[in-house]
Amino acid sequence: MTSVYDLTLEQLTERLASWGEPAFRARQVHRQLWERAATYDRMPDVPKALRERLAAELPLEVEVLQEREADRGATRKALLRLGGRHAIETVLMGYRDRVTVCVSTQSGCAMGCGFCATGQMGLRNNLTAGEIAAQVVWGRREAANLPDSTPQRLTNVVFMGMGEPLSNERHTFGALAKITGAMGLGDRHVTVSTVGIAPAIPRLAEAFPQVGLAVSLHAADDRTRNALVPVNKMWPLAELQDAIDAWRERTHRRPSIEWAMIDRTNDSDEQAERLAPIALRLRAHVNLIPLNPTPGWPSQPSPPERIRAFVAILEDAGVAVTVRDTRGRDIDAACGQLSLEHERASAPQA
Ligand code: SAH
Ligand code: SF4
């Protein structure tokens, strides 16, 4: 059944008109759904009979299967079943000055990065624009339950959950339109992370010139990157850099480079020395993320002293670099892991 989150205001108005409801009702329901992140049972100004019909014919289609928290409640992770299909995960992270929701764009992922729990699952299905945006709505609702050391209000969205946003481009762009339109979140507070689907990057710049871009580079030469990120064989580093350049020219924004620090794989001085000129040319900010080990891949995160040496080389070259915190590690906040656990737990015993 179509989720109400997949409808535009115009479509909702049309549907309600066919039930004999005036246009103002549709605007009211729409505002409650997106701006207040309300569920049908929490819309006191909408008549009960209409709410019941909406729930029956235009359900939300968001089922919370499991919720876990970490970092003294400042990180919350939900396993959601969207549209009655496979489960996906969404993470909400509260900081002193902002609240960020991390959304999935696919159940699983076809890109096959070996170190990634989502990649190890393969692709199961694409999410629709409404299913992606519904996770942001969940985040807006859940933000009120964060500790009062945070703003308790959703401020940022990152497309860094399960799946590759730019291989589900149409629905990712549709979700961006809903998030920055109906929900009213500022484009500049939204970031799309990609493994490097080069041809889609300039299209993102064209469609959403204020939305941020993060590219998961992980290696600074094609041989190392081919091994970690198989799509590099399709769009090698030179082509990817040209695409990021085009994005930068169109948006005048600073891209981010994501780099999982993997012990004795991509954490050498040589990799840092090769990365520095790339980051400088692209005027990129580098985020280093210690690898979150997954059951399907034997590698370990780089030790702290290796990360320090890597950072020092980049900083000496004038590159802006941050070591990202591994927030929520005790609930496996890196992509893909919670739902893998869920599947294992629910798989029939052999
Ligand atoms: N498919 C997109 C977005 C989802 S992955 C992408 O690859 O960019 C979000 C980020 O998590 C990416 O930078 C990805 O490389 C990183 N990541 C995946 N598995 C990880 C792991 N086990 N440890 C650390 N980072 C990981
Ligand atoms: Fe897919 Fe991103 Fe995981 Fe690679 S890192 S398998 S692109 S989700």
Side-chain angles (χ1 to χ4, degrees):
M1 204 180 307
T2 308
S3 157
V4 71
Y5 295 119
D6 271 308
L7 302 185
T8 61
L9 173 59
E10 291 67 35
Q11 289 166 327
L12 183 66
T13 308
E14 243 171 64
R15 180 66 83 92
L16 263 59
S18 75
W19 301 351
E21 295 288 347
F24 85 86
R25 278 282 179 232
R27 281 197 300 276
Q28 192 178 36
V29 171
H30 191 260
R31 202 164 44 237
Q32 293 276 357
L33 284 169
W34 295 101
E35 290 176 26
R36 278 200 52 234
T39 47
Y40 289 135
D41 52 333
R42 300 278 164 86
M43 298 186 183
D45 53 349
V46 178
K48 186 146 179 283
L50 176 57
R51 285 191 273 132
E52 283 171 359
R53 185 158 187 193
L54 282 162
E57 297 186 36
L58 288 175
L60 305 184
E61 294 278 28
V62 180
E63 189 189 344
V64 181
L65 297 178
Q66 195 182 102
E67 272 176 322
R68 293 164 79 187
E69 59 172 65
D71 305 317
R72 286 194 218 95
T75 301
R76 287 165 187 270
K77 181 159 176 168
L79 187 65
L80 305 177
R81 191 190 304 288
L82 301 171
R85 298 188 291 176
H86 289 296
I88 57 90
E89 62 186 17
T90 306
V91 186
L92 187 67
M93 294 161 288
Y95 302 88
R96 191 184 49 75
D97 60 336
R98 65 188 192 283
V99 174
T100 302
V101 68
C102 172
V103 299
S104 297
T105 53
Q106 300 178 309
S107 176
C109 182
M111 300 296 119
C113 311
F115 57 90
C116 168
T118 309
Q120 291 161 16
M121 295 160 68
L123 178 66
R124 300 184 308 184
N125 60 262
N126 280 324
L127 301 188
T128 66
E131 288 168 347
I132 299 167
Q135 299 167 63
V136 184
V137 173
W138 170 84
R140 176 167 272 178
R141 191 178 312 130
E142 198 60 28
N145 299 325
L146 291 173
D148 60 11
S149 54
T150 75
Q152 297 179 310
R153 181 176 56 79
L154 184 69
T155 58
N156 292 65
V157 183
V158 293
F159 284 60
M160 291 187 185
M162 300 169 77
E164 168 49 43
L166 297 185
S167 74
N168 184 15
E169 184 176 337
R170 182 163 72 88
H171 290 126
T172 290
F173 286 13
L176 286 170
K178 288 172 187 290
I179 293 163
T180 59
M183 291 195 79
L185 282 160
D187 297 45
R188 298 183 74 87
H189 293 125
V190 180
T191 301
V192 172
S193 175
T194 178
V195 70
I197 312 284
I201 292 175
R203 294 198 287 269
L204 175 69
E206 207 49 56
F208 298 95
Q210 300 290 314
V211 163
L213 175 72
V215 178
S216 300
L217 212 66
H218 304 311
D221 69 272
D222 283 319
R223 234 190 79 211
T224 311
R225 196 163 191 267
N226 285 346
L228 288 173
V229 178
V231 294
N232 191 67
K233 292 175 207 151
M234 191 107 87
W235 297 291
L237 279 166
E239 210 172 311
L240 180 53
Q241 289 179 68
D242 286 347
I244 302 171
D245 245 342
W247 179 87
R248 215 168 45 76
E249 262 166 40
R250 176 71 181 80
T251 64
H252 306 290
R253 295 198 64 187
R254 215 180 220 281
S256 301
I257 288 176
E258 308 290 303
W259 191 288
M261 291 292 286
I262 310 173
D263 188 31
R264 283 168 294 168
T265 302
N266 64 352
D267 60 355
S268 62
D269 288 355
E270 192 205 335
Q271 283 293 317
E273 280 153 12
R274 285 178 185 245
L275 169 58
I278 296 176
L280 287 174
R281 195 171 72 76
L282 297 173
R283 294 190 180 78
H285 186 110
V286 174
N287 286 312
L288 303 177
I289 314 129
L291 179 79
N292 203 3
T294 59
W297 213 60
S299 300
Q300 290 301 310
S302 307
E305 61 277 13
R306 187 75 309 265
I307 298 181
R308 274 196 295 277
F310 200 93
V311 167
I313 291 171
L314 292 175
E315 282 182 340
D316 286 349
V319 175
V321 52
T322 309
V323 181
R324 279 233 309 255
D325 71 2
T326 50
R327 170 172 277 263
R329 181 174 283 214
D330 53 326
I331 54 166
D332 294 333
C335 63
Q337 299 195 20
L338 183 70
S339 73
L340 272 182
E341 271 169 29
H342 175 81
E343 302 250 306
R344 235 181 277 122
S346 60
Q349 298 296 314

